[in-house]
Amino acid sequence: GQQLNQSPQSMFIQEGEDVSMNCTSSSIFNTWLWYKQDPGEGPVLLIALYKAGELTSNGRLTAQFGITRKDSFLNISASIPSDVGIYFCAGQLWYGGSQGNLIFGKGTKLSVKP
Amino acid sequence: DGGITQSPKYLFRKEGQNVTLSCEQNLNHDAMYWYRQDPGQGLRLIYYSQIVNDFQKGDIAEGYSVSREKKESFPLTVTSAQKNPTAFYLCASSPGQGRNEKLFFGSGTQLSVL
């Protein structure tokens, strides 16, 4: 089946730093989404992207739908301690007019630099 | 407040035992989903239901069973046939076809084997 490659797997942040992560696929998607999961909780939707080339912001978060439709990027500017958690990308295809189920990446874990 | 409630938060299973995880939503969503999350892994789809009294297998349905007798409820049974049940289980819902890319997750149930 389809797989998403999300990188990096983990990273450490210092308050005030900008953070970048990405997700790539061997096949195209119609929709890209980014979710964030806090420890011991369920993921929460951050940003949804519906068109190739689309750039969307949500506060300090900015995500882009790649032109090839096979990748997406998430940037966090001026990170703060509450940004720690696991960030998941997800892709979705439409099949014959119906939405397929989401395919999730393995996540990027953000931690605070010791 | 509308949301998804999963219970219990922690659950222990003995060898050969079936256990049932509860999921209730009051968002009036048509679709509901069960995901399994293992450390360092993405979310893998177990079962999903687009409408009451109907459900479909996801990518890893073996050893699990579900029912959807009411719109609000989508319980998951982990049967004794599931040989590696230890994982974090997440229930989610979405408005339905045409809008089901936006998943709303519960807080999860951590299942461990005694």
Side-chain angles (χ1 to χ4, degrees):
Chain A
Q2 289 177 308
Q3 290 188 335
L4 297 185
N5 297 310
Q6 193 170 346
S7 66
Q9 282 187 312
S10 62
M11 57 194 308
F12 289 90
I13 60 171
Q14 200 148 43
E15 190 169 352
E17 284 181 339
D18 294 344
V19 172
S20 292
M21 61 191 77
N22 69 80
C23 206
T24 60
S25 170
S26 56
S27 48
I28 63 172
F29 285 108
N30 299 110
T31 304
W32 280 97
L33 306 110
W34 288 91
Y35 286 82
K36 183 199 176 194
Q37 183 179 32
D38 290 328
E41 297 294 328
V44 173
L45 180 63
L46 297 174
I47 293 178
L49 303 156
Y50 298 97
K51 204 163 65 168
E54 181 181 352
L55 190 70
T56 296
S57 292
N58 178 6
R60 293 177 296 104
L61 277 61
T62 301
Q64 184 163 25
F65 191 139
I67 290 291
T68 65
R69 295 171 63 194
K70 292 182 179 181
D71 54 12
S72 180
F73 307 89
L74 176 70
N75 294 311
I76 305 172
S77 62
S79 57
I80 60 177
S82 61
D83 288 335
V84 301
I86 303 176
Y87 292 78
F88 290 101
C89 63
Q92 184 183 51
L93 256 186
W94 284 70
Y95 300 94
S98 294
Q99 285 178 297
N101 292 314
L102 298 188
I103 309 293
F104 283 88
K106 293 186 177 181
T108 293
K109 185 176 182 179
L110 239 58
S111 305
V112 176
K113 260 184 200 168
Chain B
D1 283 332
I4 300 182
T5 301
Q6 288 188 243
S7 63
K9 183 66 178 174
Y10 301 95
L11 187 58
F12 297 90
R13 193 190 91 167
K14 293 180 184 175
E15 287 281 342
Q17 191 180 42
N18 293 351
V19 292
T20 297
L21 285 60
S22 169
C23 179
E24 304 276 333
Q25 56 102 355
N26 60 4
L27 298 167
N28 199 33
H29 283 172
D30 287 327
M32 297 187 75
Y33 310 80
W34 275 105
Y35 288 90
R36 171 177 170 143
Q37 184 177 20
D38 295 283
Q41 301 295 314
L43 305 180
R44 292 185 290 168
L45 184 62
I46 305 172
Y47 268 99
Y48 63 102
S49 167
Q50 300 283 6
I51 198 168
V52 175
N53 291 322
D54 189 39
F55 50 82
Q56 285 78 40
K57 293 181 180 179
D59 300 318
I60 56 165
E62 187 173 347
Y64 301 96
S65 66
V66 293
S67 63
R68 186 89 187 274
E69 297 176 2
K70 298 188 299 181
K71 187 175 184 178
E72 304 80 21
S73 179
F74 192 42
L76 173 75
T77 297
V78 184
T79 75
S80 57
Q82 173 48 247
K83 297 307 178 188
N84 183 21
T86 297
F88 191 55
Y89 290 87
L90 287 160
C91 179
S93 71
S94 67
Q97 263 300 325
R99 294 174 296 160
N100 73 6
E101 75 279 10
K102 296 182 178 179
L103 297 181
F104 293 77
F105 286 89
S107 294
T109 293
Q110 175 64 51
L111 176 62
S112 303
V113 176
L114 285 176

